[in-house]
Amino acid sequence: MRIHIATDHAGLEFSTQLQHHLAAQGHEVRDHGPVEYDPLDDYPAFCIRAAQAVVTDQRDGVEALGVVFGGSGNGEQIAANKVTGVRAALVWSVATAELAREHNDANVIAIGARQHTFDEALSFIDRFIATPFSGEERHARRIRQLAAYETDGTLEPDPRAVTGVPDVLDADDSSFDPEAG
């Protein structure tokens, strides 16, 4: 599989180690991050290029995923999600890495390189790469809804726009159970 990675200065050392790890597993690694340490560099262009490459590869039939990282992973996830066709998830555990693929068919993950040890982050990345999308209809339907909004702004109907639907705050219903979902 082709793995596109990107970081800024916060993850440069992590990036080098990650590239060696992924290559040893047989993956083709494409680095879109900096070539040298610059404490003033900015992550957006690096992460956007990695995300663009994932989308291009997937569109061309190449099996590809992306990993972007920085200090917290937050900005890197936001940057990647600006690319049409990207579903980037912030990952902080093996479970969130697995669910990102299984339920959301995420094609990019973001990790805070300063939030985890290298071994922890590797476990997240390895699980993300190894986990397939479940294909369950409920998850596929939700992904189609996201894609529709991204493409043309389409949203599902607002249930509160229907006349006669009570507002929760107006209801005097002591049987309401917030844990029921």
Side-chain angles (χ1 to χ4, degrees):
M1 178 178 304
R2 187 174 292 159
I3 309 294
H4 295 276
I5 65 171
T7 187
D8 61 3
H9 60 277
L12 192 56
E13 182 180 331
F14 178 89
S15 175
T16 302
Q17 294 175 349
L18 176 60
Q19 289 179 58
H20 289 290
H21 172 79
L22 293 172
Q25 290 187 328
H27 298 293
E28 178 185 349
V29 181
R30 301 275 175 95
D31 182 12
H32 301 270
V35 294
E36 62 186 17
Y37 182 79
D38 176 357
L40 299 177
D41 68 8
D42 299 316
Y43 62 83
F46 299 133
C47 295
I48 289 170
R49 285 187 186 104
Q52 288 172 325
V54 168
V55 170
T56 297
D57 276 352
Q58 290 180 335
R59 184 184 56 233
D60 294 344
V62 176
E63 191 177 19
L65 293 172
V67 180
V68 296
F69 42 95
S72 70
N74 286 312
E76 294 77 16
Q77 177 202 26
I78 292 168
N81 274 321
K82 296 299 180 184
V83 175
T84 301
V86 166
R87 289 175 306 284
L90 180 64
V91 168
W92 65 91
S93 68
V94 169
T96 58
E98 186 173 328
L99 290 170
R101 287 287 299 138
E102 193 173 88
H103 289 190
N104 307 114
D105 198 16
N107 49 7
V108 175
I109 57 169
I111 298 174
R114 292 181 176 156
Q115 311 301 312
H116 307 282
T117 66
F118 179 71
D119 289 338
E120 288 173 334
L122 276 186
S123 69
F124 309 159
I125 293 164
D126 288 344
R127 181 64 61 94
F128 173 71
I129 292 169
T131 302
F133 174 53
S134 72
E136 288 182 37
E137 174 50 32
R138 66 188 172 123
H139 301 307
R141 180 180 68 244
R142 294 165 185 163
I143 292 166
R144 286 191 304 271
Q145 290 173 13
L146 292 170
Y149 179 77
E150 187 176 57
T151 302
D152 62 17
T154 301
L155 287 174
E156 293 294 306
D158 181 352
R160 286 168 187 77
V162 176
T163 308
V165 174
D167 187 308
V168 172
L169 297 177
D170 292 338
D172 183 24
D173 185 358
S174 59
S175 66
F176 176 70
D177 181 5
E179 297 299 317

